[in-house]
Structure formats: C-alpha cells, structure tokens
Amino acid sequence: SPCENHFPFPTDPDDHCESPSIAYEDILPILRTLAAMKNGTNSTSKLKIYDPYYCDGAVISHLTELGFGDVYNKKEDCYKTWCKSDATQPYPTY
C-alpha cells in the first residue's frame, strides 16, 4: 500500500494517504481562479503549487493532467523545507 512507504522522518500513516484524482477536479475552479489572479490569464501551467504532504507522489500526475505543470511534492519533512509557491494545499484533499 502507498501509505506504507518508508520515510526518512517519523510519520503518522493517516498523514500519507493519497487523494484520488477526482478530489483535484473538485478544487480545479479555485486553482483556475488563483491562476487568473496571479498570472492575469487563465493559464494554469505557470501557477506554482506546493503540496507538502507526500504519499506516493500521485498529486503531481493528477495536477499535471489538469494543466498544472509546476507542482512541488517530494518525500521530505515539509516542516523543515516549506516552499514558496503561489498555492499551497494546506490539507490533504482525501
């Protein structure tokens, strides 16, 4: 199971459960609006998205399929490496 991945830091299994692609479709209108506000266009490819919570990294493919090409999601302790971005997904969407 993806939630049984080994991490280089202490984890709670409930913090690393992958969200299905439909969950990202639910927040798509919000991300498109944010992209328009940030870039002045509806272009989603330039919006920088940071998802600090890693399971098996599917968030990158889910958001890429929706047109977001700059997604940061790595297996690292996010509380030590918090990134600057246009949008941070603060809570898992699952």
Side-chain angles (χ1 to χ4, degrees), residues 18-88:
E18 198 70 62
S19 300
S21 60
I22 195 162
Y24 297 97
E25 292 172 19
D26 289 342
I27 63 170
L28 185 56
I30 296 166
L31 293 174
R32 283 185 176 150
T33 299
L34 185 57
M37 291 170 55
K38 180 73 179 168
N39 302 321
T41 69
N42 229 5
S43 174
T44 57
S45 64
K46 294 182 181 180
L47 188 70
K48 294 179 182 182
I49 299 175
Y50 175 50
D51 185 331
Y53 304 107
Y54 187 90
C55 183
D56 67 3
V59 63
I60 294 172
S61 61
H62 292 325
L63 288 171
T64 299
E65 288 173 9
L66 295 174
F68 299 93
D70 194 352
V71 181
Y72 187 95
N73 176 247
K74 294 187 178 181
K75 187 191 289 189
E76 59 191 13
D77 186 345
C78 66
Y79 300 105
K80 291 183 179 177
T81 60
W82 208 265
C83 295
K84 291 189 177 199
S85 62
D86 299 322
T88 299

